[in-house]
Amino acid sequence: MKPITVYDIAKEANVSVATVSRVLNNTAPVKKETRERINELISKYQFQPNALARSLSKKETGMIGIILPDITNPFFPEVLSGFDLEARKQGYTYFLCDTVSASVDTAEQYLRESQYLNALAEKQVDGIVMMGGRVDLAKPEDQLVEEVVEIGKRLPVLLVNGRLSKSGLNRVAVDEKHGAELAAQHLIELGHREIAIVGGYQNMSNTMQRTSAFMKRMKQSGLEVRKEWVLHGGFSVASGTAFMNQLLELPHRPTAIFCLNDLVAIGVLKAAVKAGIHIPEDLSIIGYDDIPFASNSIPELTTISLRTHELGRTAGEVLHQMITKSKVNKTTLLKPELIVRESTRALN
Amino acid sequence: MKPITVYDIAKEANVSVATVSRVLNNTAPVKKETRERINELISKYQFQPNALARSLSKKETGMIGIILPDITNPFFPEVLSGFDLEARKQGYTYFLCDTVSASVDTAEQYLRESQYLNALAEKQVDGIVMMGGRVDLAKPEDQLVEEVVEIGKRLPVLLVNGRLSKSGLNRVAVDEKHGAELAAQHLIELGHREIAIVGGYQNMSNTMQRTSAFMKRMKQSGLEVRKEWVLHGGFSVASGTAFMNQLLELPHRPTAIFCLNDLVAIGVLKAAVKAGIHIPEDLSIIGYDDIPFASNSIPELTTISLRTHELGRTAGEVLHQMITKSKVNKTTLLKPELIVRESTRALN
């Protein structure tokens, strides 16, 4: 059965849609007899005034669009849960738009982002949150940026944990550099001087920021990272395993590894254990993100918390401010935290 | 800036909304001069015909509502990714409605489900998918069932991986009993005769189905499960740790443990390793669900795959059939699979 609409009520009451609307919204007087006939039909069909119709006249939808690359990457559900908390408080619901990056190439992913951007704008959502994908590119093509800027002229667009260079769009992000500095400092304080950096993609801004901030902090302590110990090319568990196997083939090995996310760290851990290396006795491993699973591995992972829940919550707050035209800072930076667990230890 | 609407175009063109609509939808002739003036404004403002307005007249929204208990539980993103694949193919987008069960009591959770059900019906989504929460109850209160049945009279409602007794609603589910039988058979074939069953909640249908099917299969082989080895009361890693610690205090311990989900299995694994027990040499552990992390633990987890991606994909397919009024089976059952990894071994 199709839901009853205002059109059905109008037809059966033999009045215009405008008259039904007047009764529903109490915006203008309607003859008593007509009003009663309409009200009878409303209760007969348990008619619920249509949220879509209301949103049309109020010019707001109470809906937010969220574009992200992969809901099965545990980072994003965590951000979402924080966002949800805030969005619910403000009375929003949201469309989740997953570009399912894992199953497509990047060109296809950006195309899906474009499709979602346009669909959301057409649906007149009150605002859009973008995470991952092009937002994470170190040097996005002009066209990818311009498209978002154009949409941003029509409705609030908030970038989470990334940026689009020169876009001028609002962003909420975790201070990537500070997180990498914390990781470097932790390992240096434990006495490690030979440290590898593995994970990420060279064309992504998070990878470059984390890597260069880590190296800079090492340099401050007079330390260098060997070229052959810097391995990029993946953010998955499988790539972590591959990175570790690569390091295992080198004649000289690091005593600690900075992994650019937790999934990579778990892959590194698995490959190391399989090769008979004891963690943390023989090798210290530090991750990045603090996904829920970081505390479930054996040993539990030392990592940098991106405070993902708080990141999502803050994004919800900032987007609401943008929608209601409150004053908003262009950039809201959250400070990451070092979470020391069991996978790092002082160098023997 | 507010998005441009058909009302703004009409005002500036000094014509009625109906005239703009005629030009947009090409439903009736409009004087050439007027049409050109309207088209000029449409391109000037890059006006996109409003999807909401179109959906009102077409009586369909292209939107689906998905109600689930906790997006940070890795089971649900997996189902969603399969659902997404199918929904995208059929041209749907969806509202994700997370009742955030982890942070509330069950009464509050069911209330949120009610709120979402009503909000989605009011927004005239084309259909609703419900997972978890009341859908998983072994004996839901009548009122919780009736409410969903009422909404189900107005629009398609599909239950995923649960049921609402006597609701008559369509469901797509994994055959829980068969999964438990596979687990029991695997452990029995490995020579285990002393097996514990831990995890889940006694008021949830999945827990009761898995437990009783497992025991039944054991009985067929002349085996019993000791009463003190059946522990319910949680689906989290932390509860798994607690269950294992309880078992460790018993004078007589099982040689294998059937965990009612993977998170519990990981908690059991962690507590066992911490107590110096070697897995699988000293103890076999089998999980249930096959979440992505099941293959990332050390040792990798033997488990029952619920084929979550396929479950989501099938749900998308069935809901589309319901929306388009194709013939649909009341119940679509998927067969789970045994995934043998490293956490189970033949009894010495």
Side-chain angles (χ1 to χ4, degrees), chain A residues 19 21 87 109 130 166 168-169 224 228 249 262 286 313:
Chain A
T19 305
S21 166
Q109 188 189 356
M130 281 189 89
K166 294 176 207 151
L169 291 165
E224 294 267 352
E228 69 268 29
E249 283 177 16
D262 289 342
I286 184 166
R313 209 200 52 71

Side-chain angles (χ1 to χ4, degrees), chain A residues 47-323:
Chain A
F47 173 69
Q48 302 208 6
N50 184 325
L52 297 191
R54 274 211 312 268
S55 75
L56 264 181
S57 58
K58 281 171 64 193
K59 277 193 181 183
E60 69 182 44
T61 58
M63 286 186 264
I64 288 168
I66 300 181
I67 302 175
L68 51 76
D70 180 10
I71 190 69
T72 67
N73 173 336
F75 175 78
F76 295 105
E78 284 293 311
V79 177
L80 265 189
S81 73
F83 186 86
D84 182 85
L85 191 77
E86 193 62 28
R88 181 198 310 277
K89 208 161 74 184
Q90 310 292 357
Y92 297 105
T93 47
Y94 52 88
F95 292 101
L96 186 70
C97 306
D98 187 340
T99 59
V100 200
S101 60
S103 62
V104 298
D105 60 25
T106 51
E108 170 78 16
Q109 188 189 356
Y110 304 147
L111 179 66
R112 287 187 180 177
E113 289 176 349
S114 302
Q115 289 169 339
Y116 275 131
L117 278 169
N118 286 304
L120 289 169
E122 200 196 341
K123 278 182 205 302
Q124 300 191 354
V125 293
D126 293 339
I128 295 176
V129 171
M130 281 189 89
M131 292 191 271
R134 71 179 72 178
V135 175
D136 283 346
L137 289 175
K139 288 176 187 158
E141 284 174 35
D142 289 349
Q143 191 207 326
L144 293 178
V145 179
E146 278 160 24
E147 185 183 41
V148 186
V149 170
E150 280 306 309
I151 300 280
K153 287 179 186 163
R154 290 160 55 192
L155 76 169
V157 173
L158 177 65
L159 310 180
V160 169
N161 228 25
R163 62 170 79 233
L164 284 171
S165 304
K166 294 176 207 151
S167 68
L169 291 165
N170 290 75
R171 42 190 297 258
V172 173
V174 177
D175 187 338
E176 296 284 3
K177 290 180 185 172
H178 185 61
E181 283 161 13
L182 289 174
Q185 190 165 322
H186 174 62
L187 293 177
I188 292 168
E189 282 173 4
L190 291 174
H192 293 280
R193 316 190 67 75
E194 304 194 300
I195 308 174
I197 302 175
V198 307
Y201 291 98
Q202 265 176 307
N203 65 344
M204 286 175 69
S205 60
N206 59 11
T207 302
M208 297 330 286
Q209 287 191 335
R210 291 173 197 178
T211 303
S212 67
F214 191 93
M215 287 179 166
K216 199 173 158 193
R217 179 64 190 78
M218 292 216 15
K219 207 163 210 169
Q220 284 170 11
S221 297
L223 302 171
E224 294 267 352
V225 180
R226 284 182 185 230
K227 220 174 173 180
E228 69 268 29
W229 288 352
V230 181
L231 303 173
H232 296 306
F235 265 135
S236 65
V237 173
S239 65
T241 304
F243 294 140
M244 185 69 218
N245 287 334
Q246 249 178 286
L247 291 176
L248 285 173
E249 283 177 16
L250 297 177
H252 192 76
R253 296 182 202 162
T255 64
I257 302 179
F258 173 44
C259 302
L260 291 206
N261 76 353
D262 289 342
L263 294 178
V264 165
I266 285 157
V268 165
L269 179 65
K270 280 186 72 172
V273 168
K274 200 149 267 180
I277 295 170
H278 292 91
I279 313 293
E281 295 82 353
D282 305 336
L283 176 71
S284 283
I285 296 173
I286 184 166
Y288 203 102
D289 280 357
D290 196 27
I291 57 172
F293 226 89
S295 56
N296 291 336
S297 64
I298 305 175
E300 295 181 5
L301 212 57
T302 295
T303 189
I304 303 297
S305 167
L306 290 194
R307 300 167 63 210
T308 33
H309 186 85
E310 178 62 15
L311 179 68
R313 209 200 52 71
T314 306
E317 204 172 75
V318 170
L319 189 67
H320 178 64
Q321 289 166 351
M322 291 168 69
I323 291 169

Side-chain angles (χ1 to χ4, degrees), chain B residues 308-327:
Chain B
T308 32
H309 186 86
E310 178 63 14
L311 179 67
R313 208 199 53 70
T314 306
E317 203 172 78
V318 170
L319 188 66
H320 178 64
Q321 288 166 351
M322 290 167 69
I323 291 169
T324 54
K325 316 227 180 295
S326 314
K327 205 175 139 42

Side-chain angles (χ1 to χ4, degrees), chain A residues 1 154 270 293 295 300, chain B residues 1 154 270 293 295 300:
Chain A
M1 193 184 92
R154 290 160 55 192
K270 280 186 72 172
F293 226 89
S295 56
E300 295 181 5
Chain B
M1 192 185 93
R154 290 161 56 194
K270 279 186 72 171
F293 225 89
S295 56
E300 295 180 5

